[in-house]
Amino acid sequence: MSKTKGDNGDDILMQPLSCQVMNMKFFEPLYQSDIDGITMQDKLRELLANPDSDNAHAFSVEDRNEFLFHILCLVCIGGSMCQTEDRFTELKAATKEMYKDLITIKREKSGKVEITSAVYHIDPKGGSRRLFPISNIHNKFYAIIDREERIITAVSKPFKPFW
């Protein structure tokens, strides 16, 4: 994690995220019939939103550092008026499409496939009002760098309270 100063002197943290997942088997822990007697899909949003969740062990620290996991959080947690989804298949499909749209994959002449994108989670710890007007843990900003094409894609999701 690197730290820099914003224009207003606030600290901004830049955390590189792993971007190694090549298929949706990553989500297999969610297909367990139950964890501690509770159907996982019923607790998905709680698991993603609460790092102290009783079911947090379903994903390792390394898994939580994957960009695909962060996209799942964006899709599932949403905002203050997010409508819940009863079926994980729709959430998984939306997550997969976003992931495919945001990262770059290159096939080498040998046939080997590799992800060439570098992904960073930008976190204004000082509460920078320029990046997000309201300080909230659910504010998210990602920079996806396509090293081959030299293109940066930004994903911003500011939290907007209901009231």
PDB file of all heavy atoms in Angstrom, residues 74-101:
ATOM      1  N   LEU A  74     -19.363  -4.414  -4.839  1.00  0.00           N
ATOM      2  CA  LEU A  74     -20.068  -3.297  -5.486  1.00  0.00           C
ATOM      3  C   LEU A  74     -21.464  -3.712  -5.934  1.00  0.00           C
ATOM      4  O   LEU A  74     -22.436  -2.987  -5.740  1.00  0.00           O
ATOM      5  CB  LEU A  74     -19.288  -2.790  -6.699  1.00  0.00           C
ATOM      6  CG  LEU A  74     -18.006  -2.026  -6.462  1.00  0.00           C
ATOM      7  CD1 LEU A  74     -17.318  -1.724  -7.786  1.00  0.00           C
ATOM      8  CD2 LEU A  74     -18.275  -0.748  -5.701  1.00  0.00           C
ATOM      9  N   VAL A  75     -21.547  -4.889  -6.543  1.00  0.00           N
ATOM     10  CA  VAL A  75     -22.821  -5.370  -7.080  1.00  0.00           C
ATOM     11  C   VAL A  75     -23.784  -5.743  -5.957  1.00  0.00           C
ATOM     12  O   VAL A  75     -24.968  -5.406  -6.006  1.00  0.00           O
ATOM     13  CB  VAL A  75     -22.585  -6.573  -8.028  1.00  0.00           C
ATOM     14  CG1 VAL A  75     -23.890  -7.244  -8.410  1.00  0.00           C
ATOM     15  CG2 VAL A  75     -21.835  -6.122  -9.268  1.00  0.00           C
ATOM     16  N   CYS A  76     -23.302  -6.434  -4.949  1.00  0.00           N
ATOM     17  CA  CYS A  76     -24.191  -6.945  -3.891  1.00  0.00           C
ATOM     18  C   CYS A  76     -24.585  -5.907  -2.856  1.00  0.00           C
ATOM     19  O   CYS A  76     -25.724  -5.870  -2.423  1.00  0.00           O
ATOM     20  CB  CYS A  76     -23.532  -8.122  -3.180  1.00  0.00           C
ATOM     21  SG  CYS A  76     -23.372  -9.574  -4.208  1.00  0.00           S
ATOM     22  N   ILE A  77     -23.634  -5.089  -2.451  1.00  0.00           N
ATOM     23  CA  ILE A  77     -23.923  -4.119  -1.390  1.00  0.00           C
ATOM     24  C   ILE A  77     -24.660  -2.913  -1.953  1.00  0.00           C
ATOM     25  O   ILE A  77     -25.606  -2.421  -1.362  1.00  0.00           O
ATOM     26  CB  ILE A  77     -22.634  -3.698  -0.664  1.00  0.00           C
ATOM     27  CG1 ILE A  77     -22.040  -4.911   0.052  1.00  0.00           C
ATOM     28  CG2 ILE A  77     -22.911  -2.579   0.326  1.00  0.00           C
ATOM     29  CD1 ILE A  77     -20.662  -4.679   0.612  1.00  0.00           C
ATOM     30  N   GLY A  78     -24.212  -2.444  -3.102  1.00  0.00           N
ATOM     31  CA  GLY A  78     -24.904  -1.326  -3.737  1.00  0.00           C
ATOM     32  C   GLY A  78     -24.874  -0.076  -2.889  1.00  0.00           C
ATOM     33  O   GLY A  78     -23.869   0.269  -2.304  1.00  0.00           O
ATOM     34  N   GLY A  79     -26.008   0.577  -2.819  1.00  0.00           N
ATOM     35  CA  GLY A  79     -26.112   1.824  -2.064  1.00  0.00           C
ATOM     36  C   GLY A  79     -27.189   1.739  -1.000  1.00  0.00           C
ATOM     37  O   GLY A  79     -27.663   0.665  -0.652  1.00  0.00           O
ATOM     38  N   SER A  80     -27.599   2.880  -0.509  1.00  0.00           N
ATOM     39  CA  SER A  80     -28.557   2.919   0.593  1.00  0.00           C
ATOM     40  C   SER A  80     -29.942   2.408   0.192  1.00  0.00           C
ATOM     41  O   SER A  80     -30.720   1.991   1.032  1.00  0.00           O
ATOM     42  CB  SER A  80     -28.674   4.344   1.148  1.00  0.00           C
ATOM     43  OG  SER A  80     -29.118   5.221   0.140  1.00  0.00           O
ATOM     44  N   MET A  81     -30.261   2.425  -1.103  1.00  0.00           N
ATOM     45  CA  MET A  81     -31.567   1.946  -1.557  1.00  0.00           C
ATOM     46  C   MET A  81     -31.435   0.695  -2.426  1.00  0.00           C
ATOM     47  O   MET A  81     -32.270   0.426  -3.274  1.00  0.00           O
ATOM     48  CB  MET A  81     -32.279   3.050  -2.333  1.00  0.00           C
ATOM     49  CG  MET A  81     -32.628   4.230  -1.457  1.00  0.00           C
ATOM     50  SD  MET A  81     -33.615   5.444  -2.323  1.00  0.00           S
ATOM     51  CE  MET A  81     -35.089   4.534  -2.667  1.00  0.00           C
ATOM     52  N   CYS A  82     -30.371  -0.077  -2.205  1.00  0.00           N
ATOM     53  CA  CYS A  82     -30.119  -1.267  -3.011  1.00  0.00           C
ATOM     54  C   CYS A  82     -31.216  -2.311  -2.801  1.00  0.00           C
ATOM     55  O   CYS A  82     -31.579  -2.635  -1.682  1.00  0.00           O
ATOM     56  CB  CYS A  82     -28.769  -1.869  -2.628  1.00  0.00           C
ATOM     57  SG  CYS A  82     -28.345  -3.314  -3.586  1.00  0.00           S
ATOM     58  N   GLN A  83     -31.745  -2.805  -3.894  1.00  0.00           N
ATOM     59  CA  GLN A  83     -32.743  -3.866  -3.836  1.00  0.00           C
ATOM     60  C   GLN A  83     -32.025  -5.202  -3.730  1.00  0.00           C
ATOM     61  O   GLN A  83     -31.103  -5.479  -4.479  1.00  0.00           O
ATOM     62  CB  GLN A  83     -33.608  -3.847  -5.090  1.00  0.00           C
ATOM     63  CG  GLN A  83     -34.677  -4.910  -5.090  1.00  0.00           C
ATOM     64  CD  GLN A  83     -35.573  -4.771  -6.299  1.00  0.00           C
ATOM     65  OE1 GLN A  83     -35.677  -3.709  -6.893  1.00  0.00           O
ATOM     66  NE2 GLN A  83     -36.228  -5.853  -6.665  1.00  0.00           N
ATOM     67  N   THR A  84     -32.433  -6.026  -2.802  1.00  0.00           N
ATOM     68  CA  THR A  84     -31.770  -7.310  -2.630  1.00  0.00           C
ATOM     69  C   THR A  84     -32.173  -8.273  -3.734  1.00  0.00           C
ATOM     70  O   THR A  84     -33.224  -8.145  -4.342  1.00  0.00           O
ATOM     71  CB  THR A  84     -32.126  -7.940  -1.260  1.00  0.00           C
ATOM     72  OG1 THR A  84     -33.535  -8.135  -1.203  1.00  0.00           O
ATOM     73  CG2 THR A  84     -31.673  -7.061  -0.122  1.00  0.00           C
ATOM     74  N   GLU A  85     -31.302  -9.224  -3.986  1.00  0.00           N
ATOM     75  CA  GLU A  85     -31.525 -10.253  -4.994  1.00  0.00           C
ATOM     76  C   GLU A  85     -31.537 -11.598  -4.283  1.00  0.00           C
ATOM     77  O   GLU A  85     -30.653 -11.883  -3.486  1.00  0.00           O
ATOM     78  CB  GLU A  85     -30.412 -10.209  -6.045  1.00  0.00           C
ATOM     79  CG  GLU A  85     -30.511 -11.257  -7.114  1.00  0.00           C
ATOM     80  CD  GLU A  85     -31.806 -11.208  -7.896  1.00  0.00           C
ATOM     81  OE1 GLU A  85     -32.108 -10.172  -8.498  1.00  0.00           O
ATOM     82  OE2 GLU A  85     -32.521 -12.226  -7.890  1.00  0.00           O
ATOM     83  N   ASP A  86     -32.554 -12.395  -4.537  1.00  0.00           N
ATOM     84  CA  ASP A  86     -32.683 -13.687  -3.867  1.00  0.00           C
ATOM     85  C   ASP A  86     -31.803 -14.765  -4.485  1.00  0.00           C
ATOM     86  O   ASP A  86     -31.476 -15.748  -3.832  1.00  0.00           O
ATOM     87  CB  ASP A  86     -34.134 -14.157  -3.889  1.00  0.00           C
ATOM     88  CG  ASP A  86     -35.027 -13.281  -3.028  1.00  0.00           C
ATOM     89  OD1 ASP A  86     -34.507 -12.668  -2.076  1.00  0.00           O
ATOM     90  OD2 ASP A  86     -36.231 -13.207  -3.320  1.00  0.00           O
ATOM     91  N   ARG A  87     -31.424 -14.597  -5.740  1.00  0.00           N
ATOM     92  CA  ARG A  87     -30.640 -15.625  -6.423  1.00  0.00           C
ATOM     93  C   ARG A  87     -29.238 -15.116  -6.726  1.00  0.00           C
ATOM     94  O   ARG A  87     -29.073 -14.048  -7.327  1.00  0.00           O
ATOM     95  CB  ARG A  87     -31.338 -16.061  -7.706  1.00  0.00           C
ATOM     96  CG  ARG A  87     -32.670 -16.753  -7.453  1.00  0.00           C
ATOM     97  CD  ARG A  87     -33.309 -17.191  -8.750  1.00  0.00           C
ATOM     98  NE  ARG A  87     -33.454 -16.073  -9.681  1.00  0.00           N
ATOM     99  CZ  ARG A  87     -34.586 -15.421  -9.899  1.00  0.00           C
ATOM    100  NH1 ARG A  87     -35.691 -15.775  -9.277  1.00  0.00           N
ATOM    101  NH2 ARG A  87     -34.631 -14.430 -10.758  1.00  0.00           N
ATOM    102  N   PHE A  88     -28.257 -15.903  -6.357  1.00  0.00           N
ATOM    103  CA  PHE A  88     -26.873 -15.513  -6.575  1.00  0.00           C
ATOM    104  C   PHE A  88     -26.497 -15.538  -8.051  1.00  0.00           C
ATOM    105  O   PHE A  88     -25.599 -14.814  -8.476  1.00  0.00           O
ATOM    106  CB  PHE A  88     -25.930 -16.426  -5.766  1.00  0.00           C
ATOM    107  CG  PHE A  88     -24.489 -16.068  -5.935  1.00  0.00           C
ATOM    108  CD1 PHE A  88     -23.997 -14.861  -5.476  1.00  0.00           C
ATOM    109  CD2 PHE A  88     -23.619 -16.929  -6.577  1.00  0.00           C
ATOM    110  CE1 PHE A  88     -22.657 -14.507  -5.651  1.00  0.00           C
ATOM    111  CE2 PHE A  88     -22.285 -16.590  -6.760  1.00  0.00           C
ATOM    112  CZ  PHE A  88     -21.810 -15.382  -6.293  1.00  0.00           C
ATOM    113  N   THR A  89     -27.186 -16.304  -8.847  1.00  0.00           N
ATOM    114  CA  THR A  89     -26.824 -16.436 -10.261  1.00  0.00           C
ATOM    115  C   THR A  89     -26.849 -15.081 -10.975  1.00  0.00           C
ATOM    116  O   THR A  89     -25.979 -14.808 -11.803  1.00  0.00           O
ATOM    117  CB  THR A  89     -27.742 -17.433 -10.986  1.00  0.00           C
ATOM    118  OG1 THR A  89     -29.102 -17.063 -10.767  1.00  0.00           O
ATOM    119  CG2 THR A  89     -27.513 -18.848 -10.507  1.00  0.00           C
ATOM    120  N   GLU A  90     -27.816 -14.217 -10.669  1.00  0.00           N
ATOM    121  CA  GLU A  90     -27.889 -12.896 -11.295  1.00  0.00           C
ATOM    122  C   GLU A  90     -26.735 -12.013 -10.830  1.00  0.00           C
ATOM    123  O   GLU A  90     -26.142 -11.271 -11.616  1.00  0.00           O
ATOM    124  CB  GLU A  90     -29.230 -12.217 -11.000  1.00  0.00           C
ATOM    125  CG  GLU A  90     -30.376 -12.748 -11.825  1.00  0.00           C
ATOM    126  CD  GLU A  90     -30.976 -14.046 -11.272  1.00  0.00           C
ATOM    127  OE1 GLU A  90     -30.574 -14.488 -10.185  1.00  0.00           O
ATOM    128  OE2 GLU A  90     -31.847 -14.609 -11.949  1.00  0.00           O
ATOM    129  N   LEU A  91     -26.414 -12.080  -9.541  1.00  0.00           N
ATOM    130  CA  LEU A  91     -25.306 -11.295  -9.005  1.00  0.00           C
ATOM    131  C   LEU A  91     -23.985 -11.757  -9.609  1.00  0.00           C
ATOM    132  O   LEU A  91     -23.128 -10.944  -9.969  1.00  0.00           O
ATOM    133  CB  LEU A  91     -25.256 -11.421  -7.478  1.00  0.00           C
ATOM    134  CG  LEU A  91     -26.480 -10.910  -6.725  1.00  0.00           C
ATOM    135  CD1 LEU A  91     -26.399 -11.298  -5.263  1.00  0.00           C
ATOM    136  CD2 LEU A  91     -26.614  -9.411  -6.880  1.00  0.00           C
ATOM    137  N   LYS A  92     -23.822 -13.054  -9.734  1.00  0.00           N
ATOM    138  CA  LYS A  92     -22.605 -13.624 -10.310  1.00  0.00           C
ATOM    139  C   LYS A  92     -22.460 -13.207 -11.782  1.00  0.00           C
ATOM    140  O   LYS A  92     -21.375 -12.825 -12.227  1.00  0.00           O
ATOM    141  CB  LYS A  92     -22.633 -15.143 -10.190  1.00  0.00           C
ATOM    142  CG  LYS A  92     -21.425 -15.832 -10.742  1.00  0.00           C
ATOM    143  CD  LYS A  92     -21.558 -17.341 -10.563  1.00  0.00           C
ATOM    144  CE  LYS A  92     -20.518 -18.104 -11.323  1.00  0.00           C
ATOM    145  NZ  LYS A  92     -20.698 -19.548 -11.242  1.00  0.00           N
ATOM    146  N   ALA A  93     -23.556 -13.239 -12.529  1.00  0.00           N
ATOM    147  CA  ALA A  93     -23.518 -12.856 -13.943  1.00  0.00           C
ATOM    148  C   ALA A  93     -23.133 -11.380 -14.098  1.00  0.00           C
ATOM    149  O   ALA A  93     -22.313 -11.034 -14.957  1.00  0.00           O
ATOM    150  CB  ALA A  93     -24.863 -13.133 -14.607  1.00  0.00           C
ATOM    151  N   ALA A  94     -23.704 -10.518 -13.281  1.00  0.00           N
ATOM    152  CA  ALA A  94     -23.379  -9.084 -13.349  1.00  0.00           C
ATOM    153  C   ALA A  94     -21.920  -8.847 -12.963  1.00  0.00           C
ATOM    154  O   ALA A  94     -21.220  -8.048 -13.606  1.00  0.00           O
ATOM    155  CB  ALA A  94     -24.304  -8.285 -12.435  1.00  0.00           C
ATOM    156  N   THR A  95     -21.453  -9.543 -11.950  1.00  0.00           N
ATOM    157  CA  THR A  95     -20.061  -9.429 -11.512  1.00  0.00           C
ATOM    158  C   THR A  95     -19.114  -9.882 -12.616  1.00  0.00           C
ATOM    159  O   THR A  95     -18.121  -9.219 -12.923  1.00  0.00           O
ATOM    160  CB  THR A  95     -19.838 -10.257 -10.233  1.00  0.00           C
ATOM    161  OG1 THR A  95     -20.715  -9.771  -9.208  1.00  0.00           O
ATOM    162  CG2 THR A  95     -18.410 -10.163  -9.746  1.00  0.00           C
ATOM    163  N   LYS A  96     -19.439 -10.997 -13.241  1.00  0.00           N
ATOM    164  CA  LYS A  96     -18.608 -11.540 -14.320  1.00  0.00           C
ATOM    165  C   LYS A  96     -18.522 -10.559 -15.488  1.00  0.00           C
ATOM    166  O   LYS A  96     -17.433 -10.311 -16.023  1.00  0.00           O
ATOM    167  CB  LYS A  96     -19.180 -12.882 -14.793  1.00  0.00           C
ATOM    168  CG  LYS A  96     -18.406 -13.519 -15.909  1.00  0.00           C
ATOM    169  CD  LYS A  96     -19.037 -14.838 -16.323  1.00  0.00           C
ATOM    170  CE  LYS A  96     -18.300 -15.493 -17.463  1.00  0.00           C
ATOM    171  NZ  LYS A  96     -18.910 -16.787 -17.847  1.00  0.00           N
ATOM    172  N   GLU A  97     -19.651  -9.992 -15.894  1.00  0.00           N
ATOM    173  CA  GLU A  97     -19.659  -9.051 -17.021  1.00  0.00           C
ATOM    174  C   GLU A  97     -18.845  -7.799 -16.706  1.00  0.00           C
ATOM    175  O   GLU A  97     -18.102  -7.305 -17.567  1.00  0.00           O
ATOM    176  CB  GLU A  97     -21.085  -8.689 -17.413  1.00  0.00           C
ATOM    177  CG  GLU A  97     -21.830  -9.814 -18.103  1.00  0.00           C
ATOM    178  CD  GLU A  97     -21.115 -10.335 -19.337  1.00  0.00           C
ATOM    179  OE1 GLU A  97     -20.669  -9.525 -20.184  1.00  0.00           O
ATOM    180  OE2 GLU A  97     -20.970 -11.572 -19.453  1.00  0.00           O
ATOM    181  N   MET A  98     -18.976  -7.275 -15.491  1.00  0.00           N
ATOM    182  CA  MET A  98     -18.193  -6.093 -15.113  1.00  0.00           C
ATOM    183  C   MET A  98     -16.700  -6.415 -15.147  1.00  0.00           C
ATOM    184  O   MET A  98     -15.896  -5.630 -15.654  1.00  0.00           O
ATOM    185  CB  MET A  98     -18.590  -5.594 -13.722  1.00  0.00           C
ATOM    186  CG  MET A  98     -19.873  -4.817 -13.688  1.00  0.00           C
ATOM    187  SD  MET A  98     -20.260  -4.207 -12.038  1.00  0.00           S
ATOM    188  CE  MET A  98     -18.987  -2.980 -11.792  1.00  0.00           C
ATOM    189  N   TYR A  99     -16.333  -7.560 -14.601  1.00  0.00           N
ATOM    190  CA  TYR A  99     -14.934  -7.983 -14.552  1.00  0.00           C
ATOM    191  C   TYR A  99     -14.369  -8.096 -15.967  1.00  0.00           C
ATOM    192  O   TYR A  99     -13.292  -7.577 -16.268  1.00  0.00           O
ATOM    193  CB  TYR A  99     -14.850  -9.318 -13.809  1.00  0.00           C
ATOM    194  CG  TYR A  99     -13.461  -9.798 -13.463  1.00  0.00           C
ATOM    195  CD1 TYR A  99     -12.657  -9.107 -12.564  1.00  0.00           C
ATOM    196  CD2 TYR A  99     -12.962 -10.981 -13.997  1.00  0.00           C
ATOM    197  CE1 TYR A  99     -11.400  -9.565 -12.219  1.00  0.00           C
ATOM    198  CE2 TYR A  99     -11.705 -11.453 -13.662  1.00  0.00           C
ATOM    199  CZ  TYR A  99     -10.927 -10.742 -12.767  1.00  0.00           C
ATOM    200  OH  TYR A  99      -9.676 -11.205 -12.428  1.00  0.00           O
ATOM    201  N   LYS A 100     -15.109  -8.755 -16.851  1.00  0.00           N
ATOM    202  CA  LYS A 100     -14.660  -8.925 -18.234  1.00  0.00           C
ATOM    203  C   LYS A 100     -14.529  -7.584 -18.957  1.00  0.00           C
ATOM    204  O   LYS A 100     -13.642  -7.409 -19.793  1.00  0.00           O
ATOM    205  CB  LYS A 100     -15.626  -9.840 -18.991  1.00  0.00           C
ATOM    206  CG  LYS A 100     -15.500 -11.297 -18.605  1.00  0.00           C
ATOM    207  CD  LYS A 100     -16.572 -12.167 -19.193  1.00  0.00           C
ATOM    208  CE  LYS A 100     -16.739 -12.065 -20.666  1.00  0.00           C
ATOM    209  NZ  LYS A 100     -17.759 -12.957 -21.226  1.00  0.00           N
ATOM    210  N   ASP A 101     -15.414  -6.636 -18.650  1.00  0.00           N
ATOM    211  CA  ASP A 101     -15.364  -5.321 -19.281  1.00  0.00           C
ATOM    212  C   ASP A 101     -14.202  -4.464 -18.775  1.00  0.00           C
ATOM    213  O   ASP A 101     -13.707  -3.600 -19.497  1.00  0.00           O
ATOM    214  CB  ASP A 101     -16.665  -4.558 -19.048  1.00  0.00           C
ATOM    215  CG  ASP A 101     -17.810  -5.062 -19.907  1.00  0.00           C
ATOM    216  OD1 ASP A 101     -17.551  -5.815 -20.870  1.00  0.00           O
ATOM    217  OD2 ASP A 101     -18.960  -4.703 -19.613  1.00  0.00           O
TER     218      ASP A 101
END
